[in-house]
């Protein structure tokens, strides 16, 4: 079994675009949990263009009564970010090497170039009892460096896989992911994955053994819109008498 952790950043982005509390993020979280989702992910960025710091506190508070649901906070380990993580103490913190103004995460850590920062931050998370994960490209060399900085898990950055899906390169690319995952498992690391996963490409990806968690946001929102559209339009047409 793989835990589905739904990234709710896009819902917050939709809310923020209108400047008032609609849609309500917590309503979505409530609905997701009622549907059986066991993981919620947020990626607070310094400009709060998606989830805000307040959202992180609110969701964390809401999940306190749900010990069966894992809260994952991902982001660049600035002191502000770490203060927030320490304050809400999520089940997992995923460290991502993104810049404040970056559109979305687009690469994994260079572990050796950032070893001293990562070692320090990962030790602080361990001391606080928060499981840690490092966003990584699908590279055996990168995975081999992870025990040295002492993270609990890796999150495989899956955009390359998603891009290769359905092309001639797919088998070669997924083999790199499988090899990185096998190395991580051999080293005793847990394995998460995320970015650009969707209903089409996920089944093939999950043939890789030992994937503990996938975090999915963008496609899940698009698919919900596309697949929910017919029912909603039917209701509007009925109301307008068309
Ligand atoms: N993992 C990380 C580290 C991310 O930054 C994101 C996007 O915020 C995801 C997973 C989820 O990617 P997507 O929105 O494409 O499903």
């Amino acid at each position: 079994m793989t835990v589905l952790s739904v990234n709710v950043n896009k819902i917050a982005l939709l809310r923020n675009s209108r400047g008032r509390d609609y849609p309500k993020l917590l309503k979505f979280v409530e609905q997701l949990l009622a549907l059986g989702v066991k993981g919620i992910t947020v990626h607070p960025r310094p400009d709060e263009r998606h989830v805000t710091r307040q959202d992180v506190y609110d969701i964390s508070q809401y999940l306190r009564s749900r010990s069966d649901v894992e809260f994952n906070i991902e982001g660049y380990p600035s002191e502000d970010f770490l203060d927030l993580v320490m304050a809400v103490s999520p089940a997992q913190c995923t460290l991502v090497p993104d810049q404040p103004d970056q559109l979305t995460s687009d690469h994994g850590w260079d572990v050796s170039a950032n070893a001293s920062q990562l070692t320090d931050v990962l030790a602080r998370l361990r001391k606080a009892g928060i499981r840690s994960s490092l966003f990584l490209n699908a590279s055996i060399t990168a995975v081999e460096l992870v025990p040295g900085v002492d993270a609990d898990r890796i999150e495989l950055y899956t955009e390359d896989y998603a891009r290769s899906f359905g092309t001639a390169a797919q088998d070669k690319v997924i083999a790199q992911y499988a090899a990185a995952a096998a190395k991580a498992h051999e080293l005793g690391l847990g394995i998460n994955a995320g970015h650009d996963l969707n209903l089409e490409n996920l089944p093939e990806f999950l043939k890789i053994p030992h994937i503990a968690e996938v975090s999915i946001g963008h496609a899940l929102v698009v698919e919900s819109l596309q697949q929910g559209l017919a029912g909603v339009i039917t209701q509007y047409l009925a109301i307008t008498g068309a």
Side-chain angles (χ1 to χ4, degrees), residues 89-154:
S89 194
Q92 178 175 273
C93 176
T94 301
L95 304 180
V96 184
D98 57 359
Q99 298 302 313
D101 57 349
Q102 208 162 305
L103 202 55
T104 183
S105 316
D106 63 3
H107 59 281
W109 283 98
D110 178 340
V111 178
S112 61
N114 296 283
S116 103
Q117 178 193 14
L118 290 174
T119 304
D120 170 59
V121 171
L122 290 164
R124 287 156 72 183
L125 292 172
R126 185 170 298 287
K127 197 165 166 221
I130 299 168
R131 189 176 72 220
S132 62
S133 181
L134 277 190
F135 198 52
L136 276 199
N137 295 335
S139 141
I140 291 184
T141 320
V143 172
E144 281 173 336
L145 295 170
V146 174
V149 291
D150 203 17
D152 298 308
R153 289 192 184 184
I154 58 164

Side-chain angles (χ1 to χ4, degrees), residues 7 43 45 74 96 104-105 135 155 194-196 215-218:
N7 180 321
H43 191 142
R45 288 196 161 84
E74 59 184 34
V96 184
T104 183
S105 316
F135 198 52
E155 179 182 331
H195 221 286
D196 295 301
S215 90
I216 306 183
H218 184 74

